Amino acid sequence: MQRFQQYINGEFEDGSGRFESLDPATATPWAEMPEAREADVDRAVNAAEAALLEGNWAAMTATQRGKLLYRLADLVAANAPKLAELETRDTGKIIRETSAQIAYVADYYRYYAGLADKIEGSFLSIDKPDMDVWLRREPVGVVAAIVPWNSQLFLSAVKLGPALAAGCTLVVKASEDGPAPLLEFARLVHEAGFPAGVVNIITGFGPSCGSALTRHPKIAHIAFTGGPGTAAAVVRNSAENLASTSLELGGKSPFVVFADADLESAANAQVAGIFAATGQSCVAGSRLIVEASIKDRFLAILKAKAEAIRIGSPLDMATEVGPLCTERQRALIEKTVQSSLDVGARLVTGGGRPKQEGYFFTPTILDCDGVVSPSVETELFGPVLSVLSFETEADAVRLANDTRYGLAAGVFTQNLTRAHRMTKRIRAGIVWVNTYRAVSPIAPFGGFGQSGHGREGGLQAALDYTRTKTVWVRTSDDPIPDPFVMR
Ligand code: NDP
């Protein structure tokens, strides 16, 4: 069994506890992980605070911080194959996806490396004579970054990149499910030369480690990605330290297909939207909303594509759908699919376990027209597509917005004016037209409603890791005339 270590104050060490990590493709233990408990969390936060307030990092120019981020980006690119293999092994996410995604993660670090010395304060045209007033942008403080098991390197890069560019220090908590890639990434942080304590990487269980971290009195900001239920617990914890929060949560994203769409292209995008990453994606287009006149034709294309998907070992480059990360996730999916069938949803394809060992579930399509199906409401985080149909554009909008979430949406049409109308009327943080699942470090990412608040990616994300300080300097040598009148 491989052994991994946590990274606190520039040192690699075992945690207060240890636990085994399972390989989801075989359902057997393959590695031993360090479990951080409250005392480890406390040391990590103290190290991050010390690095923030004194020493090399605090004294560094923004340009020097940028250079460290460039070095980290190069190391991520050079080590992408190894990191991808670890992520695949520990989470079951297919190697085809982890390889491409981690190579691209390097670009996120490059983007924020370039931004580090472009974060500017401002000079105010103040309404008083003999007074210079300006805003300094300073790092917000020690950041707790919490990520779920899927895409941990990507989801941590969108926090680490802007936070480090802004001069913050961090404690990153990897999920207990599949922490291997982030713990290995700590070695690259070390090699890049970040001063001790700037980045600390730990893992442990949510209710103990995650909770201790998010209510720690020295945490100034919590950058959280995960489910809405956990987010509510995190926000409650933040009532203790009054930390600000940014929350990237789940979704039940609509994928709207009009009759005039290029159906082949839309079907490929729908496959990418719900079966890529085995559906374990926050932006999964899990509700197909299709114009009634083409419903049967479109479902026939989708069914053929779903049934042709290669299911297999996630470490095989030819595999298109691998296992789910955990048994509990598969259990939730199985239960929800069954209860949807019980209330009248019709199985178009899939719905069961393929022959493989491990936590596999076949790509599944459920026709939910005319029934109140739990699969339409519940985020399943798996390869299950629920289908609804509409007659008019207004119906399409109503169905698309009929969710407590609001992370992403897809619209497929060749009608330009309708496409523009839909982008305005759909309530979601991201709307893709005639494409799906595209992301970039340059484009902000985040949701509405129960999908959270705050944005990751883009310039604003770096500014969100700063706080402004208003500086007043009186430039007159005349004595202050009247101490009882504010000027
Ligand atoms: P969870 O909400 O269960 O876990 C997310 C993280 O929070 C994990 O590191 C978890 O630790 C930790 N955690 C659990 N309990 C607490 C607590 N009380 N205090 C602090 N931290 C805690 O999410 P899942 O792992 O189930 O991930 C799937 C969810 O993430 C889905 O809803 C998905 O949509 C969402 N997601 C959102 C994305 C976005 O950008 N909007 C991107 C990717 C996923 P541990 O795992 O150790 O319990």
Side-chain angles (χ1 to χ4, degrees):
M1 290 236 283
Q2 286 197 36
R3 273 174 75 88
F4 289 82
Q5 290 186 300
Q6 62 190 21
Y7 183 59
I8 296 178
N9 203 21
E11 306 274 344
F12 292 92
E13 48 173 69
D14 294 332
S16 290
R18 295 199 75 77
F19 64 95
E20 287 182 344
S21 197
L22 299 180
D23 177 343
T26 59
T28 51
W30 78 282
E32 251 189 51
M33 301 298 173
E35 183 205 340
R37 297 188 181 148
E38 193 156 350
D40 307 81
V41 170
D42 193 47
R43 278 190 305 111
V45 176
N46 283 326
E49 190 196 46
L52 179 81
L53 300 179
E54 61 212 34
N56 292 346
W57 180 253
M60 230 176 241
T61 64
T63 308
Q64 287 169 323
R65 290 201 302 270
K67 284 182 181 165
L68 281 179
L69 278 164
Y70 276 122
R71 210 175 298 156
L72 181 60
D74 290 344
L75 285 167
V76 170
N79 288 276
K82 181 175 184 192
L83 293 168
E85 195 177 322
L86 281 176
E87 181 162 352
T88 294
R89 190 77 203 278
D90 214 11
T91 67
K93 189 163 167 167
I94 61 172
I95 191 81
R96 215 152 130 178
E97 170 130 7
T98 54
S99 304
Q101 191 179 53
I102 293 171
Y104 194 35
V105 160
D107 280 359
Y108 277 77
Y109 284 110
R110 288 198 183 99
Y111 176 79
Y112 286 107
L115 263 185
D117 55 11
K118 287 150 202 88
I119 297 173
E120 295 175 347
S122 57
F123 193 86
L124 306 188
S125 307
I126 207 73
D127 58 345
K128 299 181 193 309
D130 305 325
M131 206 71 94
D132 281 356
V133 183
W134 66 88
L135 299 183
R136 283 172 51 80
R137 279 200 180 269
E138 300 185 351
V140 72
V142 178
V143 174
I146 299 198
V147 291
W149 59 267
N150 72 316
S151 312
Q152 297 202 44
L153 290 178
F154 174 72
L155 296 172
S156 54
V158 293
K159 299 171 177 55
L160 280 160
L164 292 170
C168 296
T169 58
L170 300 98
V171 179
V172 183
K173 182 204 161 304
S175 172
E176 95 219 14
D177 297 318
L182 251 179
L183 297 173
E184 181 65 24
F185 166 81
R187 302 201 171 269
L188 307 185
V189 171
H190 193 74
E191 195 179 333
F194 284 87
V198 172
V199 179
N200 305 274
I201 302 184
I202 57 176
T203 185
F205 302 105
S208 49
C209 172
S211 184
L213 179 58
T214 48
R215 61 184 151 71
H216 197 287
K218 292 181 177 171
I219 293 295
H221 180 78
I222 304 165
F224 173 83
T225 302
T230 318
V234 164
V235 171
R236 278 193 290 273
N237 286 345
S238 75
E240 292 187 33
N241 53 18
L242 299 181
S244 54
T245 55
S246 55
L247 307 173
E248 295 290 341
L249 312 178
K252 197 71 202 178
S253 298
F255 189 102
V256 183
V257 182
F258 286 93
D260 66 356
D262 175 338
L263 295 193
E264 182 61 25
S265 178
N268 278 339
Q270 176 67 91
V271 167
I274 190 63
F275 299 134
T278 315
Q280 301 169 113
S281 162
C282 52
V283 293
S286 51
R287 290 186 298 136
L288 168 62
I289 297 168
V290 58
E291 192 157 349
S293 61
I294 54 151
K295 179 182 166 190
D296 290 347
R297 190 149 55 99
F298 192 61
L299 279 192
I301 300 173
L302 271 185
K303 179 177 189 302
K305 286 185 187 290
E307 289 173 358
I309 285 173
R310 280 189 294 266
I311 302 173
S313 162
L315 285 164
D316 181 346
M317 262 297 180
T319 294
E320 293 168 333
V321 161
L324 295 153
C325 182
T326 61
E327 174 61 48
R328 74 173 183 280
Q329 196 64 31
R330 181 169 66 175
L332 169 74
I333 291 169
E334 287 180 333
K335 187 168 145 248
T336 313
V337 167
Q338 190 52 54
S339 56
S340 302
L341 294 172
D342 290 347
V343 294
R346 294 160 299 279
L347 193 62
V348 178
T349 187
R353 299 182 182 190
K355 61 182 183 326
Q356 286 86 349
E357 295 293 316
Y359 314 135
F360 288 85
F361 194 78
T362 46
T364 297
I365 302 176
L366 292 172
D367 182 349
C368 302
D369 254 342
V371 282
V372 182
S373 172
S375 67
V376 175
E377 284 169 17
T378 314
E379 185 192 30
L380 290 175
F381 223 55
V384 179
L385 177 66
S386 299
V387 183
L388 300 168
S389 66
F390 65 89
E391 298 284 350
T392 65
E393 186 180 310
D395 282 346
V397 171
R398 186 181 48 76
L399 287 171
N401 289 337
D402 187 17
T403 171
R404 63 199 172 104
Y405 292 107
L407 185 55
V411 177
F412 278 75
T413 178
Q414 302 206 29
N415 179 326
L416 183 68
T417 52
R418 176 157 60 203
H420 279 269
R421 280 194 302 277
M422 293 297 285
T423 63
K424 287 184 212 157
R425 296 175 70 189
I426 289 183
R427 276 197 312 269
I430 307 155
V431 181
W432 287 294
V433 177
N434 294 332
T435 184
Y436 205 77
R437 258 186 126 221
V439 290
S440 161
I442 302 160
F445 183 101
F448 295 176
Q450 292 282 303
S451 292
H453 57 73
R455 295 291 177 265
E456 293 187 326
L459 168 63
Q460 184 61 40
L463 299 181
D464 288 348
Y465 284 97
T466 66
R467 57 185 177 188
T468 57
K469 178 182 280 173
T470 310
V471 182
W472 292 75
V473 177
R474 186 163 177 260
T475 55
S476 166
D477 290 331
D478 297 343
I480 292 177
D482 181 349
F484 298 102
V485 176
M486 275 180 76
R487 285 169 205 275

